[in-house]
Amino acid sequence: MASNDPEFGAQLDQAIDALDPIMALLALIQITGDRTLLHRFWDALDGRQETVMEAFRDIDPHAVRDPVDPAIAAEIRDRLRKAVKSGRAPVMPSLDMAMFRKMSRLLLGHDFPEMSVEVAYQHGGFTTDTRVRKAAEVPPAGFKVIVVGAGMMGINAAIKLQQAGFDYTVLEALDKVGGNWLTNTYPGAAVDTPSRVYSFSFEPNASWSQFYPRGPEFLSYLERVTDKYDLRENIRFGTWVEGADWDEARKLWTVRSVRDGKPETHECNVLIMAVGPNNDPNYPKVKNLDRFKGPVIHSAEWDHSVDLTGKKAVLVGTGCSGVQVANAIADEVGELVIVQRQPEYIIPNPEAHSPVDPLDIWAMEHIPFVVNWKRLQSLEGQMGDMHGMVMKDEDYARETGGFGPINDGMRMYANSYLQSHFPDDPEMVALLTPDFPVFAKRPILDCGFYTTLKKPNVSILRGEMAEADETGIILADGSRIDCDVLLLSTGYNLHFGRQFDIHGTGGQTLKDAFEPHPFSYEGMLITGFPNFVFMGAPYSYLVANHAVVSEQQVHYIVELLQWMVDEHLSSFDVTPEATRTFVEDVDAELLKTAWVQCGSAHGYYRDVGGAGKKKVILAVPRHNSRIWHDLRSVREEDFAITRQPGDAPPEAREMAMLTI
């Protein structure tokens, strides 16, 4: 870090002068290793913590904090300036848990709940090694793992498999990494999770240009991570996986794929599906859609060759992608008519288009540990108790007629925000006000949608597309809308692996196993499909962002594979009893949630089974900190296992006394 460059010194001075004194102190302690500084400055800083807004939870006004004594702030900053300019390696790059607790308490102004301490430690990026099982043996020659998909989950899996010493290959249908962030290129595409936490904890990005980065910026992040860990030589691009077959006698998977029009087969001991649920655009099943003569563009398959300038466009759908598209194209089209099947909760998001302060970026890039402590600030909202957020509080409901304290608070917050935009237009307020609990559908962080609706060339109406003709669409109520181009933001078909021809024990297909609805054990494993891990399976979403969920699942996968290696297992399969216990528990808890007690809400949370009965399978009704603990280690009693004939568990190593 030492530099005699005057420009570096000037930048460092500016960045440190702008840095919150508590943040500066925490970085200083780790760089110098001087723990006594925490006690020395505690009383001068405690109660003066910096507040970080968090859109989905921060619904109450904040008191103005007392300022830190300027002399104290200057002393801390001067000490940090000197430490960084010295260029010495940090003395305390790793924190013990006691020190982490104390330092995070000063940063946030309160202690983490006990269940979240270790979770925050890992997801804040204060450790890059989360392994619990101490490897007794290295993976043997010939032990092969195949990962399907090189999106966020697949990249995560590849990195951790590589670090754990497993021979792996990633099969990717596209010609680049990125998954959804490669294919979703619609105007306005952006992450709706704060950028500081929508990234791998072991690879935090200090350089986000916005608090909510655009799709291309996030794709660039995934590409940089792929190159940093030299993953490309293990990724077989342009390989479309059709299905896989379990060979019971050989205890191997044969994966069937197509590359350059030619069929291929690949064998592996363990098969990991990392395709995610959002990979098949949902085109609405309406009459005569093919008769429309203008362009029909789905947000998940955007056609950038179509010039929208001056066109009359109809946009169907007002979910997350729909509002982003509307905001992005409103000034380009001649007229925009938005068709909304039902209103959505839109949460104020003052940072939607805000750039990150360049001094903040510089500090995170050049001052050790600042990026981790800022990441921890953004994680705070996920780590606390969320009573009454998604789970219905029956006592509260009896007393108030509401749903839960946080849920009702968010509803009132969102409705007040809506009314503030249309104070003299009660009809618009009524049109845009949902009549179901928050989280019955996915709430939307506002990217300027209400402002867009007030533009003179934009209109919105309630309705459902039923038919199309050559020059327009017809709604279910019979009304007709002429248009030049039809834009569909109608989400995805969630197959959960049913699009693949996968055969498990006895030849049973995954599609048949998933009748009437898909299921899983711990959001990853399917009984009857040995040595098969389905990342992002049913019961694994909606409690944390995708980066957090995938890291927890990849940790579990490495623990599972190391168990195989150490115990000389040729196969594992979760027992029907263990799966039944898990499914019955989460289904019972789901009944208490806004996802199930959803009122009139509809949407992709609910799977439609073969008999047409809907069931919530996407979500898991558990606090993410509990899930983190649940996935730390394999519960061996939940599995049926086999070993190769004649093989036995390795004998425990004994330590012989040495002599001279």
Side-chain angles (χ1 to χ4, degrees):
M1 292 297 297
S3 174
N4 296 319
D5 181 358
E7 184 178 346
F8 176 90
Q11 284 274 30
L12 178 64
D13 288 341
Q14 292 179 51
I16 289 179
D17 287 342
L19 199 61
D20 177 72
I22 296 178
M23 187 75 64
L25 177 64
L26 301 184
L28 174 64
I29 291 170
Q30 285 198 259
I31 293 170
T32 63
D34 188 348
R35 295 169 179 256
T36 67
L37 295 173
L38 190 61
H39 302 294
R40 174 172 178 173
F41 291 106
W42 185 280
D43 290 340
L45 299 177
D46 194 25
R48 295 164 175 78
Q49 282 81 5
E50 183 179 34
T51 299
V52 176
M53 302 293 286
E54 211 284 323
F56 281 130
R57 298 219 33 217
D58 221 339
I59 58 179
D60 298 315
H62 291 272
V64 178
R65 66 168 177 161
D66 293 331
V68 175
D69 183 324
I72 297 293
E75 181 182 354
I76 293 170
R77 289 171 175 146
D78 286 344
R79 284 171 173 262
L80 178 61
R81 208 182 322 269
K82 180 180 178 182
V84 174
K85 287 183 177 180
S86 76
R88 297 191 189 96
V91 176
M92 197 190 300
S94 299
L95 293 175
D96 57 73
M97 196 58 67
M99 197 63 182
F100 172 73
R101 288 174 189 268
K102 198 72 175 174
M103 293 171 75
S104 61
R105 160 65 180 81
L106 181 61
L107 177 70
L108 305 175
H110 59 82
D111 292 314
F112 278 119
E114 191 59 33
M115 180 170 273
S116 293
V117 174
E118 292 179 278
V119 187
Y121 184 74
Q122 186 231 304
H123 286 301
F126 294 94
T127 179
T128 58
D129 181 7
T130 65
R131 295 180 72 173
V132 173
R133 188 182 188 97
K134 303 304 179 186
E137 299 190 15
V138 298
F143 189 98
K144 180 74 177 179
V145 182
I146 286 180
V147 179
V148 179
M152 195 170 190
M153 293 190 299
I155 292 170
N156 194 336
I159 291 169
K160 293 303 179 179
L161 288 170
Q162 178 174 280
Q163 291 176 339
F166 287 95
D167 181 10
Y168 73 94
T169 299
V170 180
L171 304 180
E172 169 54 55
L174 303 174
D175 59 355
K176 296 179 181 178
V177 301
N180 270 353
W181 295 107
L182 179 62
T183 58
N184 275 257
T185 61
Y186 61 83
V191 177
D192 67 352
T193 300
S195 55
R196 287 175 187 165
V197 296
Y198 196 68
S199 52
F200 301 130
S201 68
F202 55 86
E203 200 58 51
N205 181 24
S207 308
W208 296 119
S209 66
Q210 291 183 281
F211 285 99
Y212 294 87
R214 300 293 180 191
E217 187 172 7
F218 189 74
L219 178 61
S220 177
Y221 166 76
L222 292 179
E223 290 173 336
R224 290 198 308 275
V225 171
T226 298
D227 289 333
K228 177 176 178 177
Y229 290 90
D230 197 22
L231 304 180
R232 294 186 192 276
E233 66 179 46
N234 287 77
I235 304 175
R236 192 165 176 79
F237 291 107
T239 304
W240 178 265
V241 171
E242 295 183 327
D245 304 290
W246 171 247
D247 187 327
E248 182 66 34
R250 300 170 62 216
K251 301 294 188 287
L252 294 174
W253 281 98
T254 300
V255 180
R256 292 173 277 108
S257 61
V258 175
R259 191 169 192 253
D260 296 330
K262 299 177 182 178
E264 294 182 337
T265 59
H266 308 266
E267 290 190 343
C268 60
N269 300 83
V270 176
L271 175 60
I272 300 171
M273 302 297 290
V275 293
N278 297 333
N279 45 51
D280 180 21
N282 175 36
Y283 284 84
K285 297 173 178 60
V286 297
K287 186 178 179 181
N288 297 325
L289 183 60
D290 58 343
R291 286 180 58 188
F292 182 68
K293 292 184 177 179
V296 178
I297 306 174
H298 197 287
S299 57
E301 297 179 319
W302 196 266
D303 185 349
H304 292 274
S305 69
V306 176
D307 184 5
L308 299 178
T309 306
K311 299 285 194 339
K312 180 178 181 180
V314 167
L315 171 64
V316 179
T318 54
C320 293
S321 59
V323 299
Q324 290 177 347
V325 168
N327 189 57
I329 69 170
D331 293 334
E332 179 181 359
V333 298
E335 182 180 354
L336 177 63
V337 180
I338 302 170
V339 178
Q340 180 180 60
R341 187 161 53 156
Q342 66 179 175
E344 318 266 351
Y345 284 106
I346 294 185
I347 309 297
N349 183 22
E351 294 178 333
H353 301 291
S354 299
V356 179
D357 187 323
L359 288 176
D360 257 3
I361 295 175
W362 198 96
M364 288 188 286
E365 289 177 335
H366 295 93
I367 302 176
F369 314 112
V370 169
V371 67
N372 300 101
W373 291 110
K374 283 190 175 287
R375 181 181 173 97
L376 191 70
Q377 283 181 320
S378 294
L379 281 166
E380 178 187 4
Q382 302 176 25
M383 299 295 163
D385 188 65
M386 301 177 182
H387 179 69
M389 188 173 189
V390 177
M391 305 290 287
K392 188 171 185 179
D393 184 328
E394 295 294 349
D395 292 337
Y396 174 92
R398 280 191 294 271
E399 293 173 5
T400 67
F403 191 88
I406 298 179
N407 195 292
D408 281 4
M410 290 183 65
R411 175 177 55 80
M412 291 185 284
Y413 188 45
N415 288 344
S416 295
Y417 181 63
L418 166 61
Q419 291 167 2
S420 72
H421 276 271
F422 303 98
D424 303 315
D425 193 345
E427 290 185 4
M428 182 66 86
V429 171
L431 179 71
L432 298 175
T433 301
D435 63 353
F436 44 79
V438 182
F439 293 108
K441 300 182 72 171
R442 182 177 181 176
I444 298 169
L445 284 177
D446 189 26
C447 59
F449 186 57
Y450 290 156
T451 301
T452 294
L453 292 181
K454 289 187 277 190
K455 294 183 177 181
N457 66 326
V458 177
S459 59
I460 186 170
L461 55 88
R462 186 83 59 83
E464 188 170 353
M465 186 169 64
E467 189 174 350
D469 59 23
E470 288 83 355
T471 58
I473 66 168
I474 301 164
L475 303 183
D477 64 2
S479 58
R480 188 178 179 284
I481 308 172
D482 280 317
C483 60
D484 303 311
V485 58
L486 179 58
L487 308 176
L488 304 174
S489 288
T490 48
Y492 297 87
N493 298 304
L494 303 190
H495 297 297
F496 283 108
R498 288 172 290 191
Q499 72 271 41
F500 298 105
D501 182 32
I502 296 176
H503 296 253
T505 303
Q508 181 188 34
T509 67
L510 190 64
K511 185 175 181 180
D512 287 342
F514 279 174
E515 283 295 333
H517 298 283
F519 62 91
S520 77
Y521 166 88
E522 296 292 358
M524 280 178 285
L525 303 174
I526 317 296
T527 298
F529 294 81
N531 296 17
F532 178 75
V533 184
F534 186 174
M535 294 185 68
Y539 305 125
S540 65
Y541 288 104
L542 306 185
V543 292
N545 75 64
H546 207 52
V548 167
V549 171
S550 65
E551 282 197 48
Q552 291 170 177
Q553 293 197 341
V554 168
H555 164 87
Y556 183 86
I557 290 169
V558 172
E559 294 288 306
L560 187 61
L561 299 195
Q562 191 63 53
W563 176 45
M564 286 188 74
V565 169
D566 290 346
E567 296 294 323
H568 298 181
L569 307 183
S570 59
S571 73
F572 63 82
D573 190 7
V574 63
T575 66
E577 295 77 18
T579 296
R580 189 180 309 114
T581 297
F582 175 80
V583 170
E584 288 177 353
D585 180 71
V586 294
D587 280 350
E589 291 299 302
L590 278 168
L591 293 176
K592 307 171 187 176
T593 67
W595 300 315
V596 172
Q597 298 193 39
C598 59
S600 65
H602 50 66
Y604 69 95
Y605 290 177
R606 288 157 279 281
D607 181 72
V608 179
K613 185 178 180 181
K614 295 182 179 180
K615 182 184 179 186
V616 174
I617 62 167
L618 190 73
V620 57
R622 295 176 176 175
H623 194 289
N624 185 66
S625 290
R626 176 191 165 175
I627 296 169
W628 187 93
H629 286 279
D630 287 344
L631 299 183
R632 285 306 86 194
S633 299
V634 176
R635 293 189 293 277
E636 298 178 13
E637 65 272 19
D638 287 353
F639 290 85
I641 60 173
T642 63
R643 292 185 170 87
Q644 293 291 351
D647 204 351
E651 294 182 1
R653 292 184 174 89
E654 293 186 6
M655 185 183 299
M657 186 65 70
L658 301 179
T659 71
I660 57 171

